[in-house]
Amino acid sequence: MGTLLDFEGHAVASLRRRVAEVEEANQDLIAFARGHSGAVSAIHQAVLAALDAEGLDHLIHVITQSWPHTLGLDAVSLALFVEDRAMRADASGMQFVDRRIVERSIADIDGVVLRGVERGHPLFGPASDLIRAEALIRLDSAPPLPSGLLALGQRRAQGFETRHGSELLLFLGSVVSRMIGRWLLP
């Protein structure tokens, strides 16, 4: 005779497996939504803090000193150039740098670059050795305003290459550019 197959048992096992897969996908979606909501809230808090800045020095302080905590990051650096001058600011303070360094840093960036790294971007300064994930946001302004780079970094390696993250970061960069213009234009 032949072998008797248990179709019902096989069908039930297959359905259980599919339900488990759907449940896992659902949990992933919920986790993403919660994370995205948290990111939106953090960006809103960062923008509100920038809007409260009482001058360009205070804005740079907010970006480099307050934003790491607000955004859950380990390092934030801002590099700007205008005419033949350039500067870089981070948690350790502000330094003047060669304009070409900042220009080269933004040359290959179109909007936002999100990536995991072995070592952070040189504009992070001393924190570069600790950075394992970074977001580099190009800041474009028409002369006489400065252009440059906003660099956000964290020690924890993380794959954050999402379209939604890029849109939020582009918004954050646009706010920074406009706030700088607010304090530099009469």
Side-chain angles (χ1 to χ4, degrees):
M1 298 275 294
T3 307
L4 190 59
L5 296 175
D6 181 11
F7 286 110
E8 182 179 356
H10 179 69
V12 169
S14 177
L15 285 174
R16 284 186 179 142
R17 192 170 45 256
R18 289 177 67 193
V19 167
E21 289 170 359
V22 168
E23 181 62 28
E24 183 178 347
N26 191 29
Q27 292 302 318
D28 289 347
L29 183 58
I30 289 170
F32 171 77
R34 285 184 182 146
H36 182 68
S37 174
V40 170
S41 176
I43 296 287
H44 286 166
Q45 288 177 7
V47 167
L48 289 174
L51 290 173
D52 287 341
E54 297 173 0
L56 183 58
D57 290 343
H58 189 212
L59 176 65
I60 291 171
H61 175 81
V62 166
I63 291 169
T64 60
Q65 305 292 322
S66 301
W67 281 12
H69 175 71
T70 302
L71 298 172
L73 300 167
D74 295 303
V76 175
S77 178
L78 177 66
L80 300 171
F81 68 90
V82 64
E83 297 176 359
D84 63 342
R85 294 172 296 180
M87 58 75 70
R88 183 192 78 75
D90 63 11
S92 62
M94 187 171 75
Q95 303 168 338
F96 289 98
V97 296
D98 187 331
R99 174 191 166 114
R100 292 172 294 185
I101 294 171
V102 182
E103 284 179 312
R104 280 192 299 257
S105 295
I106 67 170
D108 296 331
I109 297 174
D110 184 28
V112 176
V113 172
L114 302 166
R115 62 187 178 197
V117 294
E118 292 292 320
R119 183 177 193 279
H121 195 282
L123 289 175
F124 281 115
S128 295
D129 291 334
L130 306 173
I131 302 301
R132 296 297 172 261
E134 63 187 16
L136 306 175
I137 307 160
R138 185 176 176 137
L139 304 175
D140 286 318
S141 296
L145 295 176
S147 292
L149 183 74
L150 176 63
L152 312 174
Q154 64 184 32
R155 295 173 190 233
R156 187 177 67 249
Q158 177 177 329
F160 54 168
E161 289 92 16
T162 67
R163 184 177 62 82
H164 297 295
S166 293
E167 290 173 358
L168 285 170
L169 295 174
L170 282 171
F171 170 71
L172 190 63
S174 294
V175 168
V176 169
S177 292
R178 286 186 171 96
M179 291 299 297
I180 290 169
R182 172 182 174 192
W183 294 113
L184 291 180
L185 290 177

